[in-house]
């Protein structure tokens, strides 16, 4: 039976990046993916690199929630620093563009809430500038009339979700990673100091295990009697036809769910967490697409009359309080969780490097204790 220092379950960005950082430390690493790399949320999201606290849960869960959630902001900042050097480190293009993120509000109620949220973010050490109506007119002339306040965070941006995880995996394979596609884990057991994993490609043993299985993480953890409250949500993204350069920023709107950005080639990516339908697998819901497009057109009038050329749906993982679940499981030494709901694309580089360090018995650069199960 083959034996590894570390077995990682899940071939998305969290799993591939954890594998890369563990291989970089000279460990023998196995990456198990039940389908193929990057087919889940990591390769199907809109590629946003976030740092601000999302407005929708702030509205629904309140300021106390935001103050607790602000503990994640240093993780985003650490990860965004790593994003900036990732093309050089991985020796490949990842479509990185960091020109800032702008969250805009129209109503008096939303403006007041946005100010409150920015105060919490600043207290947590995040740089956010408030733009009044005149500043918005100068810096964001693409916006519709009626936008009264903006929160601008200069470190936000975008990257290409189709390329990042495969590039991490490719570099890890070059360092010795054993990558197994179509290898579903069906059972995990403890055996003295090791874990025995039964897979569709045979049994293996590993000294330590990382569960980076995203929306499938609950099933994987349950094999060891560990309860993980992580949910699977079907959401969708749409891409428009090419238009002249209009939008330099990652754009959010407080009034409705919306993330909007323009790719280098000119198409707009429209997202924000709108629900897709489930038919055994996620499929695009045209009602969500129409509503999402309508909101984007209301916020950025230049999008009126634009055609949608492509759309897709995917499963993403979430927790009710948006809290990440990271680190070693206290009751099962040697079993680690790398689960970052909703914002995992942004957080992956720094968090995965820390998880790899912990799994190899090292002290990571960032402290994950606050996010343990």
């Amino acid at each position: 039976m083959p034996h590894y220092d570390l077995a990682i379950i899940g071939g998305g960005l969290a799993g591939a990046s954890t594998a890369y950082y563990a291989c970089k430390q000279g460990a023998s690493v196995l990456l198990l993916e039940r389908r193929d790399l990057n087919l889940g949320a990591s390769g199907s999201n809109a590629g946003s690199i976030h740092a601000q606290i999302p407005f929708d849960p702030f509205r629904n869960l309140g300021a106390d929630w935001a103050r607790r959630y602000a503990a994640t902001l240093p993780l985003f900042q650490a990860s965004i620093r790593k994003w900036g050097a990732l093309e050089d480190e991985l020796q490949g293009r990842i479509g990185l563009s960091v020109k800032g993120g702008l969250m805009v509000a129209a109503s008096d109620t939303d403006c007041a809430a946005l100010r409150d949220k920015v105060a919490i973010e600043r207290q947590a050490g995040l740089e956010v500038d408030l733009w009044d109506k005149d500043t918005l007119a100068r810096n964001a002339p693409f916006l519709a009339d009626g936008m009264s306040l903006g929160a601008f965070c200069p470190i936000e941006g975008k990257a290409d979700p189709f390329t990042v995880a495969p590039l991490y995996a490719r570099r890890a394979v070059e360092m010795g990673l054993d990558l197994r596609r179509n290898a579903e884990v069906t059972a995990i057991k403890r055996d003295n100091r090791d874990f025995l994993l039964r897979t569709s490609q045979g049994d293996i043993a590993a000294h330590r295990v990382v569960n980076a299985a995203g929306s499938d993480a609950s099933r994987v953890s349950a094999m060891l009697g560990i309860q993980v409250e992580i949910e699977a949500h079907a959401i969708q993204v749409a891409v428009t036809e090419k238009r002249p350069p209009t939008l330099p920023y990652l754009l959010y709107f407080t009034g409705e769910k919306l993330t909007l950005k323009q790719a280098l080639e000119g198409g707009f990516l429209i997202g924000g967490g709108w629900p897709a339908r489930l038919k055994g697998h996620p499929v695009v819901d045209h009602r969500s697409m129409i509503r999402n497009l309508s909101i984007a057109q209301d916020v950025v009038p230049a999008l009126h009359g634009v055609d949608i050329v492509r759309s897709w749906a995917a499963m993403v993982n979430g927790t009710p309080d948006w809290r990440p679940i990271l680190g070693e499981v206290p009751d099962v030494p040697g079993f680690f969780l790398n689960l970052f709901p909703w914002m995992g694309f942004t957080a992956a580089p720094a968090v995965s490097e820390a998880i790899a360090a912990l799994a190899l018995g090292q002290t990571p650069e960032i402290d994950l204790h606050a996010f343990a199960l």
Side-chain angles (χ1 to χ4, degrees), residues 219-271:
R219 181 187 68 86
V220 171
S221 293
M223 296 175 189
L224 287 167
I226 302 165
Q227 183 178 354
V228 175
E229 292 187 8
I230 197 156
E231 307 160 340
H233 297 264
I235 64 170
Q236 61 188 52
V237 178
V239 181
T240 74
E241 62 182 323
K242 297 177 183 178
R243 285 291 178 92
T246 302
L247 177 62
Y249 312 126
L250 167 61
L251 183 66
Y252 316 84
F253 178 48
T254 63
E256 290 266 15
K257 291 181 179 179
L258 176 69
T259 60
L260 183 66
K261 49 194 172 293
Q262 189 172 19
L264 183 63
E265 66 274 12
F268 287 83
L269 282 79
I270 307 174

Side-chain angles (χ1 to χ4, degrees), residues 44-69:
S44 303
N45 67 85
S48 301
I49 295 178
H50 302 280
Q52 299 182 65
I53 295 171
F55 192 84
D56 197 50
F58 178 77
R59 184 201 333 264
N60 295 328
L61 300 176
D64 287 343
W65 166 83
R67 280 185 276 272
R68 293 190 297 272
Y69 186 78

Side-chain angles (χ1 to χ4, degrees), residues 15 20 41 48 73 77 118-119 136 152 167 190 200-201 225 238 251 257 278 295 299 314 318 362:
Y20 169 83
S48 301
L73 300 190
Q77 293 169 289
V118 167
L136 285 174
F152 180 76
L167 191 56
R190 289 296 303 269
S200 56
Q201 294 186 12
L251 183 66
K257 291 181 179 179
L278 274 176
I295 294 164
V299 177
Q362 302 168 1

Side-chain angles (χ1 to χ4, degrees), residues 67-301:
R67 280 185 276 272
R68 293 190 297 272
Y69 186 78
T72 64
L73 300 190
L75 304 184
F76 294 143
Q77 293 169 289
S79 216
I80 290 170
R81 288 192 292 272
K82 295 195 71 65
W83 274 104
L86 212 52
E87 289 190 334
D88 288 340
E89 177 163 357
L90 299 181
Q91 301 172 32
R93 302 288 293 173
I94 58 172
L96 182 67
S97 175
V98 180
K99 296 182 178 179
L102 178 62
M103 187 175 294
V104 295
S107 72
D108 291 344
T109 299
D110 281 2
C111 288
L114 185 58
R115 290 182 185 277
D116 291 343
K117 187 174 77 72
V118 167
I120 294 170
E121 291 163 339
R122 287 173 171 173
Q123 191 171 21
L126 183 66
E127 180 184 353
V128 187
D129 298 324
L130 283 171
W131 290 359
D132 61 17
K133 186 174 288 190
D134 290 340
T135 308
L136 285 174
R138 288 195 306 271
N139 296 343
F142 49 82
L143 290 173
D145 293 338
M147 299 299 161
S148 301
L149 185 68
F152 180 76
C153 179
I155 66 172
E156 293 188 308
K158 61 190 176 186
D160 182 358
F162 301 116
T163 63
V164 184
L167 191 56
Y168 262 120
R170 188 176 306 129
R171 296 295 172 253
V173 168
E174 292 171 355
M175 291 186 288
L177 172 68
D178 185 352
L179 169 59
R180 300 194 188 185
R181 298 173 169 88
N182 302 308
E184 182 173 6
V185 177
T186 58
I188 308 175
K189 294 182 179 179
R190 289 296 303 269
D191 179 31
N192 297 322
R193 295 178 62 250
D194 288 330
F195 293 87
L196 304 180
L197 286 74
R198 177 162 296 171
T199 83
S200 56
Q201 294 186 12
D203 295 348
I204 65 99
H207 185 48
R208 296 190 175 186
V209 175
V210 173
N211 179 357
S215 59
D216 196 41
S218 291
R219 181 187 68 86
V220 171
S221 293
M223 296 175 189
L224 287 167
I226 302 165
Q227 183 178 354
V228 175
E229 292 187 8
I230 197 156
E231 307 160 340
H233 297 264
I235 64 170
Q236 61 188 52
V237 178
V239 181
T240 74
E241 62 182 323
K242 297 177 183 178
R243 285 291 178 92
T246 302
L247 177 62
Y249 312 126
L250 167 61
L251 183 66
Y252 316 84
F253 178 48
T254 63
E256 290 266 15
K257 291 181 179 179
L258 176 69
T259 60
L260 183 66
K261 49 194 172 293
Q262 189 172 19
L264 183 63
E265 66 274 12
F268 287 83
L269 282 79
I270 307 174
W274 282 79
R277 291 181 293 154
L278 274 176
K279 287 190 172 182
H281 62 279
V283 296
V284 170
D285 187 327
H286 290 85
R287 296 167 299 181
S288 286
M289 183 192 299
I290 291 168
R291 183 63 182 144
N292 202 184
L293 175 60
S294 175
I295 294 164
Q297 292 170 335
D298 288 344
V299 177
V300 179

